[in-house]
Amino acid sequence: MGTVSLPPLSREQEELFRLIEDTREHVFVTGRAGTGKSTLLQHLAWNTEKQIAVCAPTGVAALNVEGQTIHSLFRLPIGLIADSELEQPEPARKIMNAIDTLVIDEISMVNADVMDAIDRSLRQARRRRSEPFGGVQIVMFGDPYQLSPVPPRGDERRYIDDHYRSFWFFDAQVWAGPRPDGGAVRSDGLLDLGRVGAPLHIRELREIHRQADDGFKAMLNAVRYGVVTADIAGQLNAAGARPVPEPVDGEPPIITLATRNDIVNRINQRHLDALAGPVQTARADISGDFGRGETGYPADSELQLKVGAQVMFLRNDIGHGGDGPRWVNGSIGTVTRIAGGTVRVELDGEEHDVEPAVWERFRYAYDPATRKLSRDIVAEFTQFPLRLAWAVTIHKSQGKTYERAVIDLGSGAFAPGQTYVALSRLTSLDGLYLTRPLRPSDILVDADVRRFMAGVRASGF
C-alpha cells in the first residue's frame, strides 16, 4: 500500500494485530467511532507476513483501502446470489488459492448472502468444501452502529426473509451452522458466538482517540446504543442551540453535515456563487476501467473552485518530508490561489501548494513464478484531492474528524446510525451547532444490530 506515516498502535490495537497475525482465527474488529479501526487495518496491510487480499463492498471503499471490490475479486454476479452456480475462471481460482487472509473493510455494508457467497467461492476454488471459507482466515472491520447494508426489495427481500434471520453479514449461514459438538443456536435465539460452524472472534476497540472529554464520550455512547435520556438530549440540544458564527481567521472552519445530497449541493453552490472572481474547473484524467460514473469516483470528475472556496482534503498527504503530513483525509482549508497546475490552500495558518493526486484501482493476480499474489493497477483517476466543503453528506463524513460542524438533520434522520455518525465526527461538544433540536425519532438503532451486539456483550467479548 502507500507510504503515508501512521501513528503507533495502542496497546489494545497491538494485541489485536497479534491475534490476527499469529493465529488463523476469524476476527470481526469493531468499535465506536474514533477508536482506530482504519489505523489497525492499514497497519495489518503493511506489516503482515501473510498473503492477504483486501476488499470492500463498494468501489470507493475499496479505493480507500487500496484493495478490490468483493464482487470483482470473487467474480460474483450483481444482485441476489442465493444458491446460483458460481462461475470461476482459472485466474480467479488461482488467486483464491493463494490467499492466506481475506480482509474485508466496511463489513457492515455486506449482505448476508454475499457473505455466504464468499464462503462458497473459497470452498469451491480451494476444493475444501467441508471447511468454512476453504481454510482462509477472515478478518472484518466495521461498526454496525454506523453503516448498514442496502435493504433488499421485492423477490430478493422475500428470499432473504425465508433463508436468513436478517440481511446483515452476522446472520450469514456460515456463522450460524451446526456446532462441532452437534448443538444448535442458543435457546434464547442469540448466536452462540465462538462455537458455531465458523468460530468468530469479535473484538471491540474501546480506547477512543477522537474525543478527550469523558462526558461527551458518554453522550455519544448513549446515541450509539439508542439509550438517550432526557438529560442527555437536553445537554446536546443546549450546546447546539447557538447561532453559527461568521468565519474568523485563525479559528477552525465550520462544515455542515446534512442528510441528503441535494441539501449539500445547494449549500456548496450558494457559497461558491457568493465569491467574487471566475469559476475555474479542474477536469479529472481517467484511464482504464474505473467503474460506473461519478458514484464510483473518489473525487469530482469536474471540480469547480474559486479563490476563497472552503475545501476538504480527500486523502492523506503522501510522500511529504519534514515533520509529518501537512494534511489528512478530512482536513478543511481555504483556497488562496489557483495557478500553474496547483491549488494553494490555507490550512491552520499555513499555505500549501496542492497538486493533483492519483487514485489507483487495483486487481489481484497470481504470479506462478513466485507463487504469490500481486496487485496490478487496472485504472487511474487523477484529480486534485479536494472537494467543496461548506457542506458534506453525513454518509461521506464517515471516518472524518471535525473541530466544528453544523448538523442539519432536515426533516429527520432516515437511516439507523445517521445521527450517531454525525455527532461522533466532532472532537468536542464545544464544536456542535444544530439547525434544530434533536428529536427522539432522530435516534435510530437497527433492531438486528441491537440484538446481535447484545449477544456479543452477553458473551463477554
Side-chain angles (χ1 to χ4, degrees):
M1 296 179 73
T3 57
V4 63
S5 60
L6 287 173
L9 295 186
S10 66
R11 181 176 177 178
E12 68 170 356
Q13 288 172 326
E14 178 64 33
E15 289 176 353
L16 191 42
F17 171 68
R18 295 267 45 109
L19 170 67
I20 295 168
E21 183 70 4
D22 298 342
T23 75
R24 303 289 304 162
E25 304 290 353
H26 304 305
V27 183
F28 170 39
V29 180
T30 189
R32 289 168 285 177
T35 51
K37 296 183 292 295
S38 296
T39 298
L40 177 58
L41 189 155
Q42 289 178 304
H43 182 88
L44 171 66
W46 295 346
N47 293 281
T48 183
E49 295 185 3
K50 298 177 179 179
Q51 289 208 76
I52 72 167
V54 183
C55 61
T58 68
V60 171
L63 285 173
N64 289 339
V65 292
E66 298 186 7
Q68 194 170 340
T69 65
I70 292 170
H71 280 74
S72 64
L73 177 61
F74 291 98
R75 304 292 197 271
L76 298 177
I78 300 299
L80 185 69
I81 299 169
D83 54 359
S84 58
E85 183 67 24
L86 297 175
E87 296 183 9
Q88 293 183 329
E90 184 63 22
R93 285 201 299 272
K94 287 182 177 179
I95 292 169
M96 285 184 258
N97 272 281
I99 297 172
D100 294 322
T101 299
L102 177 71
V103 177
I104 309 174
D105 195 25
E106 303 290 18
I107 185 63
S108 61
M109 296 181 69
V110 177
N111 282 325
D113 75 304
V114 173
M115 193 81 245
D116 280 334
I118 294 171
D119 173 46
R120 287 172 51 214
S121 295
L122 290 167
R123 293 188 200 223
Q124 180 178 318
R126 296 164 70 90
R127 295 183 174 87
R128 297 165 72 174
R129 293 181 181 270
S130 63
E131 194 170 355
F133 301 104
V136 172
Q137 179 188 29
I138 306 297
V139 179
M140 302 170 288
F141 289 81
D143 181 7
Y145 286 104
Q146 293 187 57
L147 285 174
S148 60
V150 177
R153 298 179 179 179
D155 287 342
E156 293 185 5
R157 181 62 192 236
R158 285 186 281 274
Y159 179 90
I160 294 293
D161 288 344
D162 284 344
H163 291 81
Y164 293 96
R165 186 166 186 178
S166 79
F167 52 80
W168 286 84
F169 77 95
F170 48 73
D171 281 330
Q173 294 171 8
V174 64
W175 307 123
R179 291 207 312 244
D181 62 359
V185 176
R186 279 174 18 182
S187 60
D188 58 4
L190 296 174
L191 298 184
D192 193 355
L193 299 172
R195 299 191 64 194
V196 293
L200 178 60
H201 288 258
I202 301 169
R203 294 293 182 266
E204 185 169 6
L205 293 170
R206 300 185 184 278
E207 184 180 341
I208 296 176
H209 306 281
R210 182 173 295 145
Q211 295 92 19
D213 178 69
D214 289 339
F216 188 41
K217 290 180 184 179
M219 293 180 202
L220 293 177
N221 218 32
V223 175
R224 183 179 195 238
Y225 295 128
V227 290
V228 176
T229 63
D231 179 59
I232 291 174
Q235 291 182 64
L236 289 169
N237 285 330
R242 297 170 289 163
V244 180
E246 292 296 320
V248 176
D249 289 343
E251 290 189 356
I254 301 177
I255 187 171
T256 295
L257 309 182
T259 54
R260 302 201 319 265
N261 270 309
D262 59 332
I263 298 173
V264 166
N265 294 338
R266 188 165 60 246
I267 292 171
N268 283 331
Q269 192 63 52
R270 183 178 75 244
H271 282 278
L272 188 67
D273 292 343
L275 295 175
V279 170
Q280 300 198 47
T281 302
R283 291 178 173 82
D285 182 14
I286 306 170
S287 64
D289 178 15
F290 214 92
R292 298 171 292 171
E294 292 289 338
T295 57
Y297 294 156
D300 293 336
S301 60
E302 294 192 358
L303 174 63
Q304 294 190 331
L305 295 175
K306 286 184 181 180
V307 171
Q310 182 166 296
V311 291
M312 179 173 69
F313 286 85
L314 299 177
R315 61 188 299 173
N316 296 332
D317 180 24
I318 296 176
H320 174 66
D323 298 328
R326 296 164 293 177
W327 58 78
V328 296
N329 186 2
S331 294
I332 300 175
T334 303
V335 175
T336 58
R337 183 172 178 266
I338 307 171
T342 64
V343 177
R344 184 168 295 170
V345 177
E346 186 275 322
L347 184 69
D348 296 330
E350 295 185 24
E351 293 191 354
H352 307 284
D353 286 331
V354 183
E355 298 179 346
V358 180
W359 284 267
E360 297 168 332
R361 186 174 293 284
F362 296 96
R363 184 169 295 153
Y364 287 97
Y366 177 71
D367 185 343
T370 63
R371 297 184 179 182
K372 293 183 179 295
L373 289 178
S374 64
R375 287 190 311 155
D376 299 335
I377 298 171
V378 296
E380 292 185 342
F381 182 99
T382 305
Q383 178 61 289
F384 290 99
L386 301 169
R387 169 182 286 136
L388 291 178
W390 288 285
V392 67
T393 61
I394 293 171
H395 182 81
K396 288 182 178 176
S397 75
Q398 290 275 352
K400 309 295 193 299
T401 300
Y402 307 117
E403 290 187 51
R404 302 196 298 176
V406 179
I407 296 178
D408 182 356
L409 295 176
S411 58
F414 57 81
Q418 200 169 44
T419 301
Y420 171 64
V421 169
L423 292 170
S424 60
R425 300 309 96 200
L426 288 162
T427 57
S428 74
L429 193 59
D430 293 338
L432 173 64
Y433 299 87
L434 295 171
T435 59
R436 64 160 176 79
L438 296 174
R439 301 191 289 251
S441 58
D442 295 321
I443 312 299
L444 302 174
V445 180
D446 186 276
D448 290 302
V449 171
R450 196 190 299 270
R451 178 256 305 169
F452 172 69
M453 294 303 289
V456 171
R457 290 191 294 275
S459 301
F461 289 108

